[in-house]
Amino acid sequence: SGIEFELSDDNNRNKKSICIDLKSENWKNIFFQLIKTADVVIQNFRPGVMDRLGIGYAKILKIAGAIGKDMDIKTYVVGGYIRDAILNRELKDIDIMVEDMVFDFSNKLANKLKVKKIIKFEKFHTVKIPFKECEIEVANARAETYNNKSRKPDTVSFSTIENDLKRRDFTINSIAFEV
């Protein structure tokens, strides 16, 4: 395990492959470092194996749902994650929405994922969690008002999931799934 080898036949065109024991925490950490700079990661596991190895998105959503339940706040996955899952596209990030306490929730999620630092955007009630597997953004459900000359909101106030989804354009961005 962990031995790099180069495929030399004509079909592989200078591509390199690596074998890694993903059951080893040390090699799992190396894997996360490698995928940050990789153009493509191809794996041939059966569906669900990456999640069972603790590398999949389902793990993050399960943890987020449990934190929301413990804090007694509704927690949703929203936006691009749902779109990409429906269209069977590569999942690159996760957008989570909570109905209250976005900063407390984000700290707890980051701690569970062993992320030491979160990036708070207090004016917009959002948090970015730079997790090694994917970027995670957590937002408080909110209402916004805009100036015609800017795409950024002038005012942001707390709201419910229903009101937050109403303010969005009527596309995949207005879909939420409770976790």
Side-chain angles (χ1 to χ4, degrees):
S1 72
I3 300 171
E4 184 177 336
F5 58 94
E6 188 174 331
L7 300 172
S8 58
D9 68 344
D10 292 336
N11 293 332
N12 285 300
R13 297 191 177 107
N14 298 320
K15 295 177 199 155
K16 292 191 176 187
S17 298
I18 187 167
C19 265
I20 298 178
D21 178 5
L22 291 174
K23 292 181 182 176
S24 157
E25 284 302 313
N26 184 42
W27 280 106
K28 206 182 289 186
N29 289 331
I30 291 169
F31 170 75
F32 290 132
Q33 292 303 311
L34 289 171
I35 63 173
K36 286 181 180 178
T37 60
D39 293 324
V40 177
V41 176
I42 299 173
Q43 54 86 15
N44 62 353
F45 292 118
R46 291 182 313 278
V49 171
M50 293 288 272
D51 287 324
R52 282 196 302 278
L53 289 170
I55 314 172
Y57 288 83
K59 172 184 84 168
I60 298 166
L61 296 176
K62 186 175 182 179
I63 293 169
I67 292 169
K69 186 175 181 180
D70 288 346
M71 294 179 70
D72 197 29
I73 55 174
K74 292 186 177 182
T75 306
Y76 303 87
V77 60
V78 296
Y81 178 88
I82 294 174
R83 176 202 59 228
D84 293 343
I86 290 170
L87 296 174
N88 202 24
R89 291 182 180 166
E90 178 185 1
L91 301 171
K92 297 178 182 176
D93 60 0
I94 298 178
D95 296 320
I96 297 171
M97 183 181 298
V98 294
E99 285 197 337
D100 198 11
M101 299 184 286
V102 66
F103 302 119
D104 292 339
F105 175 91
S106 298
N107 279 320
K108 289 180 183 204
L109 180 57
N111 285 337
K112 284 279 189 184
L113 297 174
K114 298 182 175 124
V115 175
K116 292 183 182 357
K117 183 180 178 183
I118 64 172
I119 303 156
K120 293 181 183 179
F121 300 95
E122 293 188 29
K123 180 180 178 183
F124 303 110
H125 308 288
T126 61
V127 174
K128 191 170 279 194
I129 301 174
F131 186 49
K132 57 190 171 185
E133 289 180 44
C134 67
E135 192 80 15
I136 301 170
E137 187 170 311
V138 184
N140 212 106
R142 59 194 189 268
E144 300 173 344
T145 60
Y146 290 85
N147 176 331
N148 291 342
K149 297 177 182 177
S150 176
R151 291 180 54 187
K152 292 185 179 178
D154 283 338
T155 62
V156 178
S157 58
F158 296 116
S159 184
T160 63
I161 182 72
E162 292 84 7
N163 288 331
D164 187 289
L165 294 176
K166 286 177 189 176
R167 75 176 172 81
R168 298 167 181 255
D169 55 351
F170 190 67
T171 65
I172 205 81
N173 290 326
S174 61
I175 296 175
F177 180 79
E178 190 168 3
V179 292

